[in-house]
Amino acid sequence: ELQDLPREVFAVDPTSVCQTSNTEVLYRCRKCRRALFRSSSILSHTEGSGPTAFAHKRVTNSAQLCGDGRETCTSYFTEPVQWMEPALLGVMEGQLLCPKCTSKLGSFSWRGEQCSCGRWVTPAFQIHKSRVDEVRTLPAGNFQAAKT
């Protein structure tokens, strides 16, 4: 059982840092708008083989994930962020809930989870793309003062 994790394991909570760089994307809870993680916390993985990777679950050819044959990931896999710590301690897997409004964002498993593209990701801190909004910062230099 994991009772205590080193601080270095967790990415910094975006709410504890005032400024973000112009190139980084911030992800917020779609329901309450609380900042959850930055694009630098997203872990990339190579795309899996799609529905054929789910053969053990009896997925048929009619149950294609995408009609055009191109499979896409429906979730972000992130490194653990500081706000996740209470949910992660002492358990191997569970749900990831928004720390402000407690809406379900995704799930985690230290053993790993399979992405919608078919790739196995270990350990998995999976946040569904449909539960978060992407917030991009605009460069401040491109704005001109409004003349009234």
Side-chain angles (χ1 to χ4, degrees), residues 42-124:
I42 296 175
L43 305 174
S44 62
H45 61 275
T46 55
E47 197 170 286
S49 55
T52 58
F54 296 94
H56 69 284
K57 295 182 181 177
R58 302 187 191 280
V59 172
T60 62
N61 289 338
S62 62
Q64 295 290 326
L65 294 176
C66 292
D68 61 0
R70 178 113 174 96
E71 312 309 324
T72 57
C73 303
T74 58
S75 299
Y76 297 112
F77 286 89
T78 67
E79 60 186 340
V81 185
Q82 287 173 341
W83 60 264
M84 296 178 187
E85 185 176 10
L88 304 179
L89 293 178
V91 292
M92 289 299 291
E93 59 190 18
Q95 293 183 350
L96 290 174
L97 305 176
C98 175
K100 184 176 177 184
C101 69
T102 66
S103 66
K104 184 178 178 196
L105 300 171
S107 58
F108 74 92
S109 174
W110 290 102
R111 289 180 218 120
E113 291 181 353
Q114 196 168 27
C115 181
S116 59
C117 71
R119 177 67 56 193
W120 190 264
V121 181
T122 306

